[in-house]
Structure formats: structure tokens, C-alpha cells
Amino acid sequence: MRHLLQRHPVPMRTRFAHSLVLTYALPPQVLEPLLPPGLALDTYTDPAGTEHGFVAAALVDTRDLRPAFLPAGFGTDRILTGYRIFTRFRTPGGRTMRGLKILRSDTDSRIMTLGGNLLSRYHYRLARIGSRVVGDTLEFRIVSRDGRADLHVRADLGSAPADLPAGSPFATAKDARRFAGPLPYTFEHEPETGSIVVVKATRTHWEPTPVAVDLPTPPTFFDHGPFAGSRPVLANAFHVADLEYGWEAGYRRAENGAEL
């Protein structure tokens, strides 16, 4: 049965050469219908009293990506991108787990697309993706096959730490960092069993730095589907480089957060 395979059974390890996360603020009413039972929107209320939900556009240049039981030399270098909603998952004991609900993932690898969709619910699609560093500029360019996840961004690493983007709802850089992504967990709903698949991330030396970005092609992701007509606001942009990262094997909890 396919859903048994899609519980993220294989722990993974990699090194992030570069990770750039752009977090966009949207009205909660746009995002809440996209959440399955058990997950709640992780929100922020700005100084004017307006509540915001958030979607992260994550762009990661990985090195030595591999199953955790293999040494680094058996890994491959891949670029991964994706869109995730910031969410909360409460347990019966009162614990709140902060994490991300995957909406879409893109990669430059056909093998990663096939394997990722077989062993997870990360919704991988094949795209043309380029990444390069020229001087102090980190650049990503994504051309999706369906045109629904195109993006071209340049990050000025020399500007770090940069001010928050104009129009950001965050009052301080400290507030913005809470929504820098990635978070400790990702959550996926398994409708066949009415449960939540939880995948925990492992990382070292996590010190995201705010950077200034230029967007020759803003994310076309927000032009389609449930986002059509919305007006996402770039709330922050954070960069990290040269760190070890991994995902543990997934495990399930009930929709009410109880252990299974």
C-alpha cells in the first residue's frame, strides 16, 4: 500500500552549501483552508493588531545528499526548492510542536522526484534550477515545467545583517527570526489512517542571517490556485551556509496529537 511507503521511512543527511528562505505574509483566511485536521496556523500579530499567516519559499543548494546510513562520498549534489506553511501541532499533554506543512517541492533531479514522491508526501516536481555565487551575490533561478513555481532571486550576502524588507509585518528582527525556517518538524496528513506523519530535522550551527534580496521574477506560486488574487508580502529573507542537516525517519501521531 503506497501510503505505508510515504511515511518518510529513510533518514537522510546532507550539507547545506547555501540555504535561502523567503517568508511571505498572507491573511490567515487564505492559508487555513489548506491545513488538514490536527494542524493549526502559526500566526503573528503586527503592532497594528493585524494577524498574519506565513508561507516559506525555501531554496537549498545541497551537497552529499544521501540516506543517513551511507558515508558522504555516496551522496549527490542537488538543488531543492519548496513552499511550506508555518504551522503548529498540539499534543494532549499541552506541548506545541512548530513545523511546516509542505505544499509543493521542486528539484533538478529526476531520481529525487521519483524517490521523493515514493517515500514521502513532499509533492516533488522536476524543474530547471540554477544556483551560483558571484562575489557577494547568491542567485537562484527556477523554471518550473507548469510555470507555477518560477522564481528568480538574488541575495546580497554582503548586506548581512540586512534590515527587514519594506512592508514587513514584523516589529523586530527577533520576531522575524521565529519565522525564518526551516523549523524543527514537517507535518503531513495521512488521510488513509487519519493521522499526521511527523518528520524531525537535525542540524548544526543554525545561525540564520537576514539578507537583502532582489526578485527579478517573484514567485509565480502565488499567482495560482488558492493564492490567486492574494497579495503576499515579503516578510523576511534569511540565509545560512555550510552546515550539516538531516531528516529523521517519520513517525505518526493521531490528529489530536496523541502518540500511536
Side-chain angles (χ1 to χ4, degrees):
M1 299 175 70
R2 185 175 180 183
H3 72 274
L4 299 179
L5 284 175
Q6 290 183 309
R7 292 176 177 172
H8 207 289
V10 181
M12 302 292 291
R13 295 292 182 272
T14 188
R15 180 172 64 85
F16 283 1
H18 293 281
S19 172
L20 178 65
V21 178
L22 312 176
T23 299
Y24 285 85
L26 292 112
Q29 60 266 29
V30 174
L31 300 179
E32 286 172 343
L34 304 179
L35 298 183
L39 296 186
L41 201 60
D42 198 0
T43 62
Y44 173 83
T45 301
D46 66 25
T50 301
E51 189 178 34
H52 304 269
F54 299 94
V55 173
L59 307 101
V60 185
D61 189 347
T62 69
R63 298 288 187 272
D64 302 319
L65 179 63
R66 66 203 184 275
F69 54 81
L70 293 178
F74 285 85
T76 60
D77 299 344
R78 300 299 180 199
I79 303 177
L80 311 176
T81 73
Y83 295 86
R84 288 94 169 91
I85 301 177
F86 286 82
T87 61
R88 290 178 285 108
F89 186 40
R90 295 188 185 275
T91 69
R95 177 188 176 194
T96 297
M97 304 168 69
R98 296 186 71 228
L100 301 169
K101 166 69 175 71
I102 286 83
L103 297 176
R104 173 178 175 136
S105 302
D106 289 85
T107 176
D108 60 344
S109 167
R110 188 178 300 276
I111 293 176
M112 187 72 188
T113 302
L114 295 174
N117 289 333
L118 178 66
L119 300 175
S120 77
R121 295 177 184 267
Y122 283 13
H123 311 295
Y124 281 103
R125 297 169 184 256
L126 189 64
R128 288 191 289 121
I129 308 176
S131 173
R132 66 177 183 173
V133 177
V134 179
D136 288 333
T137 301
L138 169 65
E139 183 175 19
F140 284 94
R141 187 192 297 263
I142 300 95
V143 180
S144 56
R145 286 191 165 187
D146 59 4
R148 294 185 170 222
D150 294 354
L151 173 61
H152 183 193
V153 57
R154 302 187 188 100
D156 181 6
L157 305 185
S159 70
D163 294 333
L164 292 172
S168 172
F170 294 117
T172 67
K174 182 179 179 181
D175 291 347
R177 183 167 172 169
R178 290 189 60 247
F179 295 87
L183 295 185
Y185 301 96
T186 57
F187 304 120
E188 279 302 315
H189 187 246
E190 187 175 272
E192 294 86 351
T193 60
S195 59
I196 300 292
V197 178
V198 181
V199 179
K200 184 178 180 180
T202 60
R203 60 201 187 194
T204 60
H205 190 61
W206 184 252
E207 293 292 337
T209 303
V211 294
V213 295
D214 172 50
L215 290 155
T217 304
T220 60
F221 184 75
F222 297 116
D223 297 336
H224 304 279
F227 299 104
S230 66
R231 295 184 178 181
V233 174
L234 181 63
N236 66 43
F238 282 88
H239 170 258
V240 295
D242 195 26
L243 62 86
E244 299 299 316
Y245 196 88
W247 302 267
E248 296 182 359
Y251 66 95
R252 290 189 306 128
R253 285 181 176 266
E255 291 174 354
N256 67 358
E259 296 183 1
L260 295 175

